[in-house]
């Protein structure tokens, strides 16, 4: 059974701080995606990373795919209350299935 | 474009009742899927469809049926509701080719409670 472990499960920090969320697996993925979900809404795709070692930036968010394509990280610089939400990672396996992490619940306090 | 729409937003059922959760998309996506989301467990795939007339089971299909008569619609039927089916249900769609296959567009969800 393929697993995608996210850490931490929960993070509460003050506005302006930096943070990193991790997504780890023992399996290799052809691509990995990050989604953000706000309360009462469905997940919304933030980014897809495909190449080992790839780094993508989305304003204050930096996404990195591990060299071996087994792990990924999301770093947020100078977090803002608008960043609050559930962050989900999902890896695409060789059978065209998405393997989902359980999510990191992020709260940014003003 | 409305994207992916789901109805109802909330539903309460009694054990043993049946109902259909509706899902529609207007993006001409071939791939559609249903997930359930439970606290601490992430998203679990119930059923999916790669095109009209084609459906297949996901990770947790028991107690649910689907059909895909058109590209736009993908309803999920609960045959005989059980308390274990209390969850938030999401419908998603995507293009069927290439890397875009994995980039899912989600509906707003249906929060279902079975008593």
């Amino acid at each position: 059974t393929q697993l995608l472990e996210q850490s931490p499960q929960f993070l509460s920090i003050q506005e302006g701080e930096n943070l990193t969320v991790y997504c780890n697996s023992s399996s290799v993925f052809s691509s990995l995606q990050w989604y953000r979900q706000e309360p009462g809404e469905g997940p919304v795709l933030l980014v897809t990373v495909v190449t080992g070692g790839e780094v993508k930036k989305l304003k204050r968010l930096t996404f990195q795919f591990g060299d071996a394509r087994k792990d990924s990280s999301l770093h947020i610089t100078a977090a803002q209350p608008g960043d609050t939400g559930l962050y989900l990672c999902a890896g695409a396996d060789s059978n065209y299935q998405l393997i989902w992490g359980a999510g990191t619940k992020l709260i940014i306090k003003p | 474009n409305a994207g992916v729409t789901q109805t109802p937003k909330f539903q309460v059922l009694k054990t043993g009742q049946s109902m259909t959760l509706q899902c529609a998309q207007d993006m001409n996506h071939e791939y559609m899927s249903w997930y359930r989301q439970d606290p601490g467990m992430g998203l679990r795939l119930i059923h999916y469809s790669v095109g009209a007339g084609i459906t297949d089971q996901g990770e947790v299909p028991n107690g649910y049926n689907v059909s895909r008569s058109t590209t736009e619609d993908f309803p999920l039927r609960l045959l005989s509701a059980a308390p274990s089916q209390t969850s938030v249900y999401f419908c998603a769609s995507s293009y069927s080719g290439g890397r875009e296959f994995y980039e899912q567009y989600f509906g707003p969800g249906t929060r279902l409670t079975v008593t």
Side-chain angles (χ1 to χ4, degrees):
Chain A
T1 301
Q2 293 177 306
L3 291 174
L4 203 49
E5 296 184 354
Q6 287 191 241
S7 61
Q9 289 183 314
F10 178 79
L11 187 58
S12 179
I13 62 172
Q14 291 293 138
E15 180 177 2
E17 294 183 6
N18 301 331
L19 68 107
T20 302
V21 174
Y22 299 93
C23 181
N24 295 302
S25 176
S26 58
S27 302
V28 176
F29 296 108
S30 59
S31 66
L32 191 139
Q33 302 162 340
W34 286 92
Y35 292 79
R36 179 168 63 209
Q37 183 179 17
E38 299 188 14
E41 301 292 332
V44 176
L45 179 67
L46 295 174
V47 76
T48 298
V49 285
V50 178
T51 306
E54 182 177 3
V55 176
K56 281 192 174 179
K57 293 191 175 184
L58 190 65
K59 297 183 180 178
R60 294 175 293 99
L61 279 60
T62 301
F63 304 86
Q64 185 164 7
F65 202 13
D67 291 341
R69 291 186 286 128
K70 294 181 179 181
D71 54 84
S72 181
S73 63
L74 158 59
H75 182 79
I76 300 179
T77 303
Q80 298 179 0
D83 296 326
T84 291
L86 179 69
Y87 288 80
L88 296 160
C89 63
D93 71 8
S94 57
N95 295 319
Y96 302 100
Q97 298 294 329
L98 272 178
I99 309 301
W100 290 86
T104 293
K105 187 172 183 180
L106 177 63
I107 295 176
I108 310 299
K109 295 177 285 187
Chain B
N1 286 352
V4 180
T5 57
Q6 291 183 239
T7 56
K9 184 75 171 175
F10 300 95
Q11 183 70 49
V12 179
L13 289 178
K14 294 185 185 300
T15 297
Q17 288 184 320
S18 62
M19 79 159 296
T20 299
L21 278 62
Q22 300 293 341
C23 173
Q25 53 91 10
D26 62 358
M27 297 173 283
N28 202 31
H29 286 168
E30 293 185 359
Y31 183 86
M32 296 186 72
S33 56
W34 277 101
Y35 290 91
R36 59 178 290 172
Q37 186 176 40
D38 302 291
M41 301 188 71
L43 290 164
R44 291 186 291 169
L45 183 64
I46 304 171
H47 284 286
Y48 64 96
S49 168
V50 298
I54 305 169
T55 63
D56 207 346
Q57 297 180 348
E59 179 186 357
V60 288
N62 292 341
Y64 308 95
N65 272 356
V66 292
S67 60
R68 184 94 179 270
S69 57
T70 66
T71 299
E72 295 78 20
D73 300 298
F74 191 43
L76 177 72
R77 281 183 289 277
L78 278 69
L79 309 174
S80 178
S84 61
Q85 294 178 305
T86 293
S87 187
V88 182
Y89 291 84
F90 290 100
C91 179
S93 72
S94 68
Y95 292 104
S96 63
R99 196 183 73 205
E100 291 173 322
F101 172 79
Y102 301 109
E103 297 178 349
Q104 305 286 300
Y105 292 78
F106 284 86
T110 294
R111 185 174 295 274
L112 176 68
T113 301
V114 182
T115 61

